[in-house]
């Protein structure tokens, strides 16, 4: 300050010139603030804030560590720059389920360029990050939020060595922190002390530890060496010598911190006797110097000598490792420190004859890492022709873990040198078992196994007997791989004789003749084993195969016969993808999230339509690079969604996508198909008498809890009141769609799920005859339980005679009949009167002839006469009686013939 000039710092001290550095994190340095908030912006209740008070950035000595829960933790630092400068720091960011952003705000609270705020996950240990700063006030923000809404705990983000330049000139130099030194003038940083040395604050060099003490790199003090125990060494096998022999050897675990000469210390056991080397791995053969070399293409071996494939066969290339005398050339092993997360030049896994196992690390929380790199794959040509068949190859390994505490074995997959994605994790002891992962992309793949004995941050070796063992690793269809056997192939005639050729897609190979034959209709071919007619598997009910016999699909139609009729269905109105969210769930910190399902009922000719993505990665990757994000395509998939109103990000956060339905098993009205059951009691009962149509699916994703993969059923129900696409629902008793985590069930109610309309669904109504016209109208039966299909027939009009006309005819006929009867009655009555008169006259004349006496004025009944005789003349006949008499007794001369008795009782006489 006196002469206003810049001078170099003395030894043991350093300066950034116009900057400051923070490299000690025993406590939060002055000027830093650590805040935590609940992610839900609109939620300001005290309860949710209290949930997050402990979720802050925590100083842990050499670095500061982020939170690992759903709260948002922010580390802030405000600085005033006298000139333009920069901020740089190192960070360790291994877990993509945490969002990590770094940004700077200026005087006007405006953030810097948006693109650079999203940090990218680190590939290999610590990475360096630098951002330019403008003159004036700058507020630096390191912000993390974890989205591990399932049981998995995220790994924290670590930050260290934060340096800021552009602040006011430095009027003093800073002393080197303990464990570092600066041996020259004018240093801008201090060097770390090597192992087995130490330094105090402001040192110009490091001091060696005493022989009975040790220290790790960058230590401020030395520790007393413990006595060696059996936990400080491990065994391995030497490589085969020229005589084809190997030897069991013991090695001290590195770094060696124990003392052999101390009381009670154990010595390194002597090497074992030489034994015969195990055979080479399949596909390899021994050379003269007992090394194993791969067999050339076109030959195979079981680990001894290479043999040419017989005619009509081809090698099944891959890698099969089951003998572990030396580490294969395409595998490497290392150790990642569980303390400072730096890679060490150490061996993490050791070969042991019939298995490979985890060696002893520097500390029990180190990650013992084994990596296998495969350059690419060569699947059968018929597999490549099928765009929907995801299986390019598969990796199968047999492993075992023996643990006394909370050990973890991770299996991770990296594609084209991208971040390793954890596929499966096994916690605690696991018996010898096999695991298979299906490779769905033809790319350079890396497979990584990482074993951590304990997550506790205690240094030392207490649990070295906790080990992971891998017995065998088998990868199929590897490019430039080796063969352990030859498989039949289709033969093609040529000038050189017959050679192998690929069958067209959907054709199987006849083992005897080597010819290709097409699979029968509605069968699918087992593409990886296409030998014989038995390789063609029949499709399930309600499905048919595509042209290349690679998958069974449903074309959105279905038909079923019932005792009364045939029901035809057309689900094309339900063919588009639909989404469905379960009820809201909450984490222990109160974060709201949803299980989000996307369904495509029958796909597009078997092409799966539903896509679920993991956009936690997308949030921090610029546009156009989102190919790095993980997405899943299936008939039905599920993701965990945190809505945008909760996160404050432009889009909702979608994470942990899972496929629930990779292939369609069948479509039927039965409740069970191929071991999958859709229990009717999960949903409210069907009440219309139309059977539910059930789509059955399977997913090939195998997890520890779902050993046979997941399955899904979609129960499609006719609901006339719900227009297409209708409504989707989850079982009321299992709000996340599943009651056991493996079998998922959905109910889709829609009018489009009703059968197609047929003549049985309508009836005719005939109108009365109006003005000589009669109409026949067709109407649907109520309730209408059909959709689409045939339309109602047009109204029919017919000509008719009305009822008024016939009434008039009836009245006229009745009137005429009445008049006719009246006339006839009058006529016959008149006729009768005449007849009576003639009759009485005849009687009188006859009387005069019989008695010469003059006619008397009256005639009395004589003694002995019958009264009845006179009744003939005096009794009146009824009208009908008279008519009958008239019609039956008339003589040909027109007169009536009447029988009479004489007064003397003589014989009758006709008059």
């Amino acid at each position: 300050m006196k002469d206003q000039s810049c001078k170099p710092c003395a030894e043991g001290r350093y300066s950034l010139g116009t900057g400051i550095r923070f490299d000690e994190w025993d406590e939060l340095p002055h000027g830093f603030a650590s805040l935590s908030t609940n992610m839900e912006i609109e939620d300001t209740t005290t309860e949710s804030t209290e949930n997050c008070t402990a979720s802050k950035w925590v100083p842990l000595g050499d670095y500061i560590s982020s939170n690992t829960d759903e709260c948002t933790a922010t580390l802030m630092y405000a600085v005033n720059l006298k000139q333009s400068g920069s901020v740089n720091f190192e960070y360790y960011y291994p877990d993509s389920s945490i969002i990590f952003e770094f940004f700077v705000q200026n005087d006007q609270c405006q953030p810097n360029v948006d693109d650079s705020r999203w940090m990218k996950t680190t590939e290999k240990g610590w990475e360096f990050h630098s951002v330019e700063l403008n003159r004036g006030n700058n507020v630096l923000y390191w912000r993390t939020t974890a989205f591990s809404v399932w049981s998995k705990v995220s790994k924290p983000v670590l930050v260290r060595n934060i340096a800021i330049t552009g602040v006011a000139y430095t009027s003093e130099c800073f002393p080197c922190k303990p464990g570092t030194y600066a041996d020259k003038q004018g240093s801008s940083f201090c060097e770390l002390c090597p192992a087995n040395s130490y330094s105090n604050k402001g040192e110009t060099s490091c001091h060696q530890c005493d022989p009975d003490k040790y220290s790790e790199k960058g230590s401020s003090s030395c520790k007393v060496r413990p006595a060696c125990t059996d936990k400080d060494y491990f065994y391995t096998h030497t490589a085969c010598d020229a005589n084809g022999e190997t030897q069991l050897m013991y090695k001290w675990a590195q770094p060696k911190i124990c003392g052999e000469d101390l009381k009670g210390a154990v010595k390194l056991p002597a090497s074992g006797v030489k034994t015969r080397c195990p055979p080479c791995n399949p596909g390899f053969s021994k050379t003269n110097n007992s090394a194993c070399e791969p067999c050339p293409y076109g030959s195979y071996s079981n680990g001894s000598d290479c043999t040419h494939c017989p005619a009509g066969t081809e090698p099944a290339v891959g890698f099969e490792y089951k003998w572990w005398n030396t580490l294969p050339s395409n595998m490497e092993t290392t150790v990642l420190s569980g303390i400072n997360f730096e890679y060490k030049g150490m061996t993490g896994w050791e070969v042991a004859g019939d298995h490979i196992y985890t060696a002893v690390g520097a500390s029990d929380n180190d990650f013992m890492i084994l990596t296998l790199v495969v350059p690419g794959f060569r699947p059968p040509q018929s597999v490549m022709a099928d765009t929907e068949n995801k299986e390019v190859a598969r990796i199968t390994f047999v492993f075992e873990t023996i643990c006394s505490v909370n050990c973890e074995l991770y299996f991770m997959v990296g594609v084209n040198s991208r971040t390793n994605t954890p596929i499966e994790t096994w916690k605690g002891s696991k018996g010898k078992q096999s695991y298979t992962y299906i490779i769905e992309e033809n790319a350079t793949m890396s497979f990584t196994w990482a074993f951590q004995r304990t997550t506790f941050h205690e240094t030392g070796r207490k649990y070295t007997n906790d080990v992971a063992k891998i017995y065998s690793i088998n990868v199929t269809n590897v490019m430039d791989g080796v063969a352990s056997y030859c498989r039949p192939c289709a033969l093609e005639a040529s000038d050189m004789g017959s050679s192998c050729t690929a069958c067209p897609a959907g054709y199987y190979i006849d083992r005897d003749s080597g010819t290709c034959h097409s699979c029968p209709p509605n069968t699918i071919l087992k593409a990886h084993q296409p030998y014989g007619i038995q390789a063609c598997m029949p499709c399930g009910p309600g499905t048919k195969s595509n042209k290349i016999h690679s998958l069974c699909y449903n074309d959105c139609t279905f038909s079923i016969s019932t005792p009364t009729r045939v029901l035809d269905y057309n689900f094309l109105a339900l063919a588009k993808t639909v989404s469905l969210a379960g009820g809201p769930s909450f984490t222990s910190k109160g974060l709201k999230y949803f299980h989000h399902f996307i369904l495509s009922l029958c796909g597009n000719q078997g092409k799966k339509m539903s896509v679920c993505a993991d956009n936690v990665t997308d949030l921090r990757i610029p546009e156009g690079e989102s190919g790095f994000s993980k997405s899943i395509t299936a008939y039905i998939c599920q993701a965990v969604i945190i809505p945008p109103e909760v996160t404050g990000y432009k889009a909702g956060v979608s994470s942990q996508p899972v496929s629930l339905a990779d292939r369609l098993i069948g479509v039927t009205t039965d409740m069970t198909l191929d071991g999958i059951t859709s229990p009717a009691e999960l949903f409210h009962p069907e009440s219309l008498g139309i059977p539910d149509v059930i789509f059955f699916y399977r997913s090939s994703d195998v997890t520890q809890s779902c050993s046979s993969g997941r399955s899904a059923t979609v129960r499609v129900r006719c609901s006339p009141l719900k227009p297409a696409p209708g409504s989707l629902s989850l079982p009321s008793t299992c709000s996340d769609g599943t009651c056991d985590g493996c079998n998922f069930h959905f109910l889709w109610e829609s009018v489009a799920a009703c059968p197609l309309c047929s003549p049985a669904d309508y009836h005719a109504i005939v109108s009365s005859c109006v003005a000589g016209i009669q109409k026949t109208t067709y109407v649907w039966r109520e309730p209408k339980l059909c959709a689409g299909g045939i339309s109602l027939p047009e109204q029919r009009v017919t000509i008719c005679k009305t009822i008024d006309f016939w009434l008039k005819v009836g009245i006229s006929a009745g009137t005429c009949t009445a008049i006719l009867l009246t006339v006839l009655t009058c006529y016959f009555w008149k006729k009768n009167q005449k007849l009576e008169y003639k009759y009485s006259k005849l009687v009188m004349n006859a009387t005069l002839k019989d008695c010469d006496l003059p006619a008397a004025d009256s005639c009395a009944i004589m003694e002995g006469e019958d009264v009845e005789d006179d009744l003939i003349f005096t009794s009146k006949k009824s009208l009908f009686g008279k008519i009958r008499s008239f019609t039956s007794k008339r003589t040909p001369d027109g007169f009536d013939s009447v029988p009479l008795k004489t007064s003397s009782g003589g014989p009758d006489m006709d008059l």
Side-chain angles (χ1 to χ4, degrees):
M1 289 294 286
K2 286 180 182 175
D3 55 6
Q4 295 288 299
S5 63
C6 295
K7 301 239 172 95
C9 290
E11 294 95 337
R13 305 174 80 81
Y14 75 97
S15 160
L16 295 179
T18 61
I20 45 176
R21 175 182 280 127
F22 302 97
D23 53 9
E24 293 183 57
W25 297 95
D26 296 313
E27 59 182 8
L28 206 60
H30 181 71
F32 278 87
S34 180
L35 307 175
S36 63
T37 55
N38 191 301
M39 197 197 303
E40 297 203 40
I41 297 161
E42 79 282 358
D43 193 348
T44 55
T45 59
T46 53
E47 182 186 351
S48 62
T49 311
E50 284 169 6
N51 275 342
C52 284
T53 46
S55 301
K56 297 183 178 181
W57 286 77
V58 182
L60 292 173
D62 289 334
Y63 51 79
I64 184 166
S65 170
S66 77
N67 65 325
T68 56
D69 53 27
E70 313 81 56
C71 302
T72 298
T74 308
L75 181 68
M76 295 169 51
Y77 185 75
V79 63
N80 185 287
L81 297 191
K82 302 299 182 189
Q83 64 189 52
S84 296
S86 66
V87 55
N88 54 66
F89 56 90
E90 290 179 81
Y91 70 99
Y92 176 70
Y93 176 22
D95 197 333
S96 62
S97 63
I98 291 184
I99 286 186
F100 176 34
E101 47 186 326
F102 171 72
F103 59 96
V104 182
Q105 285 188 342
N106 59 16
D107 289 350
Q108 286 80 40
C109 287
Q110 293 172 331
N112 62 346
V113 185
D114 203 30
D115 283 350
S116 62
R117 71 187 288 170
W118 309 109
M119 308 298 288
K120 292 186 179 179
T121 50
T122 53
E123 297 293 332
K124 296 276 187 185
W126 294 82
E127 290 193 10
F128 184 81
H129 186 69
S130 179
V131 173
E132 297 296 317
L133 299 178
N134 296 322
R135 184 181 173 192
N137 288 322
N138 291 271
V139 184
L140 315 180
Y141 293 90
W142 292 264
R143 180 186 288 167
T144 53
T145 308
F147 290 104
S148 56
V149 295
W150 285 350
S151 57
K152 180 171 149 291
V153 176
S154 304
K155 292 187 176 63
V157 176
L158 310 180
V159 172
R160 69 181 183 188
N161 292 341
I162 300 173
I164 303 167
T165 61
V167 295
Y169 56 83
T170 304
S171 57
E172 60 174 332
C173 295
F174 300 99
C176 291
K177 71 173 185 175
T180 64
Y181 69 98
D183 57 356
K184 299 193 292 283
Q185 284 190 343
S187 294
S188 61
F189 63 94
C190 300
E191 304 266 5
L192 289 173
C193 284
N196 295 322
S197 66
Y198 71 97
S199 72
N200 297 314
K201 193 172 185 179
E203 293 272 13
T204 59
S205 64
C206 299
H207 311 290
Q208 285 296 316
C209 294
D210 295 336
D212 61 340
K213 293 184 178 178
Y214 76 98
S215 73
E216 292 161 6
K217 193 176 178 181
S219 295
S220 58
S221 62
C222 297
K223 301 173 186 174
V224 176
R225 286 186 187 274
C228 288
T229 67
D230 58 0
K231 291 181 169 45
D232 290 304
Y233 63 82
F234 59 92
Y235 64 92
T236 183
H237 284 73
T238 61
C240 284
D241 58 20
N243 298 323
E245 292 181 326
T246 182
Q247 192 175 19
L248 180 71
M249 282 188 65
Y250 293 91
K251 291 182 180 178
W252 291 113
Q254 297 299 321
K256 186 186 174 192
I257 60 172
C258 65
E260 298 178 63
D261 305 325
L262 299 174
K263 186 181 177 182
V266 298
K267 299 287 185 185
L268 196 65
S271 297
V273 295
K274 289 197 172 187
T275 57
R276 225 178 140 61
C277 280
C280 293
N281 280 307
F284 290 82
S285 66
K286 269 193 169 58
T287 59
N288 292 333
N289 60 359
S290 297
C292 291
E293 286 193 349
C295 289
Y297 184 79
S299 58
Y300 71 100
S301 88
N302 58 3
S304 53
D305 297 325
C306 297
T307 309
H308 277 287
C309 286
T313 65
E314 62 181 353
V317 292
F319 286 131
E320 184 178 355
Y321 300 122
K322 62 181 183 178
W323 297 110
W324 304 92
N325 182 246
T326 56
L327 198 65
S329 59
N330 58 352
M331 296 182 80
E332 60 182 31
T333 175
T334 184
V335 176
L336 174 68
S337 168
I339 300 167
N340 60 15
F341 296 96
E342 290 184 341
Y343 284 90
K344 304 173 180 178
M346 292 169 55
T347 300
W349 293 68
E350 284 288 344
V351 293
D354 65 344
H355 65 274
I356 184 171
Y357 77 105
T358 49
V360 177
S363 175
D364 283 337
N365 57 4
D366 287 352
F367 291 91
M368 320 306 285
I369 292 174
L370 177 70
T371 302
L372 165 66
V373 178
V374 177
F377 300 92
R378 185 191 284 171
Q381 196 168 343
S382 58
V383 175
M384 298 304 290
D386 176 18
T387 55
E388 283 302 301
N389 190 331
K390 291 184 174 182
E391 184 173 334
V392 172
R394 57 175 60 195
I395 178 170
T396 303
F397 58 92
V398 177
F399 71 97
E400 177 184 23
T401 56
I402 302 165
C403 300
S404 56
V405 283
N406 58 336
C407 73
E408 293 186 359
L409 174 65
Y410 302 88
F411 174 61
M412 298 175 283
V413 175
V415 181
N416 291 337
S417 304
R418 296 207 297 264
T419 311
N420 278 333
T421 304
I423 299 296
E424 190 64 270
T425 306
W426 295 270
K427 296 182 180 181
S429 291
K430 298 289 177 188
K432 193 172 179 180
Q433 57 186 273
S434 169
Y435 178 79
T436 298
Y437 172 74
I438 292 177
I439 298 150
E440 300 177 351
E441 186 176 353
N442 195 353
T444 300
M445 307 281 277
S446 66
F447 305 100
T448 302
W449 295 264
F451 181 71
Q452 187 181 31
R453 289 181 168 87
T454 175
T455 54
F456 300 136
H457 283 278
E458 298 171 9
T459 57
R461 298 172 181 150
K462 291 182 185 174
Y463 309 112
T464 55
N465 290 332
D466 293 8
V467 293
K469 296 180 181 180
I470 293 179
Y471 293 92
S472 67
I473 301 173
N474 190 353
V475 192
T476 63
N477 299 337
V478 177
M479 185 189 298
D480 302 327
V482 293
S484 59
Y485 68 96
C486 296
R487 59 189 172 202
C489 68
L491 295 176
E492 180 181 47
S494 65
D495 297 339
M496 305 287 293
S498 58
S499 60
C500 278
T501 183
C503 280
Y507 283 68
Y508 67 88
I509 301 168
D510 187 303
R511 282 181 183 271
D512 300 326
S513 62
T515 53
C516 298
H517 299 276
S518 176
C519 274
N522 294 330
T523 60
I524 54 170
L525 180 67
K526 290 194 292 187
H528 293 274
Q529 296 287 330
Y531 311 118
I533 186 71
Q534 63 271 19
C536 302
M537 311 291 291
C539 285
T543 65
K544 57 186 178 183
S545 64
N546 58 356
K547 288 181 181 177
I548 59 173
H549 297 277
S550 63
L551 56 85
C552 299
Y553 72 96
N554 176 274
D555 57 2
C556 291
T557 61
F558 182 67
S559 181
I560 183 174
S561 298
T562 66
T564 54
R565 58 181 288 197
V566 175
L567 298 175
D568 292 311
Y569 295 86
N570 188 324
F571 302 121
L572 280 172
L574 310 179
K576 292 183 180 176
T577 57
V578 292
S579 59
L580 165 69
S585 304
F586 296 89
T587 65
S588 57
K589 301 290 183 183
L591 173 70
K592 180 168 70 175
Y593 66 93
F594 297 89
H595 286 289
H596 189 75
F597 301 94
I598 299 180
L599 291 88
S600 58
L601 189 67
C602 39
N604 177 12
Q605 297 285 306
K607 184 175 173 60
K608 302 178 222 357
M609 308 279 283
S610 302
V611 179
C612 293
D614 183 346
N615 73 351
V616 176
T617 326
D618 283 348
L619 289 176
R620 56 174 172 267
I621 287 179
E623 288 293 323
E625 292 183 36
S626 57
F628 284 85
S629 67
K630 182 184 178 188
S631 66
I632 280 177
T633 305
Y635 280 106
I636 306 170
C637 60
Q638 176 197 34
V640 173
I641 297 286
I642 302 168
E645 67 269 15
V646 174
T647 62
Y649 297 111
K650 294 187 287 283
V653 172
S654 169
S655 66
Q656 298 154 11
V658 174
S659 168
L660 306 181
D662 283 336
R663 61 187 189 276
L664 179 63
I665 301 298
V667 185
T668 177
T669 53
D670 298 333
M671 288 209 300
T672 302
L673 181 65
D674 192 33
I676 310 169
T677 302
S678 171
E681 61 272 11
L682 287 179
F683 301 101
H684 58 89
E686 186 277 322
S687 57
L688 298 174
I690 301 290
D692 293 341
V693 178
I694 307 171
F695 285 70
F696 291 86
Y697 306 90
R698 274 198 194 283
S699 165
S700 51
D701 288 353
V702 175
T703 62
Q704 291 179 69
S705 53
C706 306
S707 56
S708 58
R710 299 183 182 90
S711 70
T713 67
V714 180
R715 187 178 279 266
V716 184
R717 178 173 293 175
C718 172
S719 182
L721 300 179
K722 294 184 178 178
S727 67
L728 271 164
S729 57
L730 299 168
S732 54
T733 51
C734 311
S735 59
D736 290 334
T738 176
C739 303
D740 57 8
C742 299
N743 301 296
F744 291 76
H745 305 285
F746 305 89
L747 175 65
W748 196 336
E749 297 175 284
S750 170
V751 66
C754 294
L756 295 176
C757 293
S758 68
D761 291 302
Y762 61 80
H763 61 97
I765 296 177
V766 181
S767 70
S768 57
C769 198
V770 178
I773 293 174
Q774 187 175 48
K775 295 178 181 178
T776 304
T777 308
Y778 298 91
V779 294
W780 297 113
R781 298 186 188 278
E782 291 296 335
K784 184 185 176 187
L785 301 178
C786 67
I790 64 170
S791 304
L792 278 176
E794 296 285 333
Q795 189 182 58
R796 208 155 47 104
V797 178
T798 51
I799 297 171
C800 62
K801 301 276 194 280
T802 62
I803 192 161
D804 294 345
F805 171 81
W806 291 110
L807 190 61
K808 289 174 184 174
V809 170
I811 291 171
S812 302
T815 307
C816 292
T817 306
I819 293 169
L820 182 62
L821 286 171
T822 308
V823 169
L824 284 172
T825 304
C826 294
Y827 170 74
F828 285 124
W829 180 76
K830 198 88 172 157
K831 192 90 171 165
N832 192 43
Q833 288 294 322
K834 287 179 179 177
L835 285 173
E836 281 188 356
Y837 172 72
K838 286 180 180 178
Y839 176 68
S840 55
K841 207 166 185 181
L842 281 170
V843 170
M844 288 175 67
N845 289 338
T847 308
L848 289 174
K849 283 178 183 177
D850 288 343
C851 306
D852 295 325
L853 294 173
D857 293 331
S858 67
C859 204
I861 296 172
M862 301 302 290
E863 191 179 354
E865 282 185 353
D866 232 348
V867 182
E868 288 180 4
D869 297 335
D870 292 326
L871 287 177
I872 295 172
F873 313 112
T874 57
S875 62
K876 279 193 176 180
K877 287 187 178 181
S878 67
L879 175 64
F880 289 108
K882 290 175 180 176
I883 292 170
R884 196 162 56 246
S885 302
F886 170 73
T887 55
S888 59
K889 294 287 186 176
R890 179 163 295 185
T891 54
D893 59 358
F895 293 98
D896 292 339
S897 172
V898 181
L900 300 174
K901 282 184 181 178
T902 58
S903 57
S904 60
D908 290 346
M909 183 187 300
D910 278 337
L911 297 178

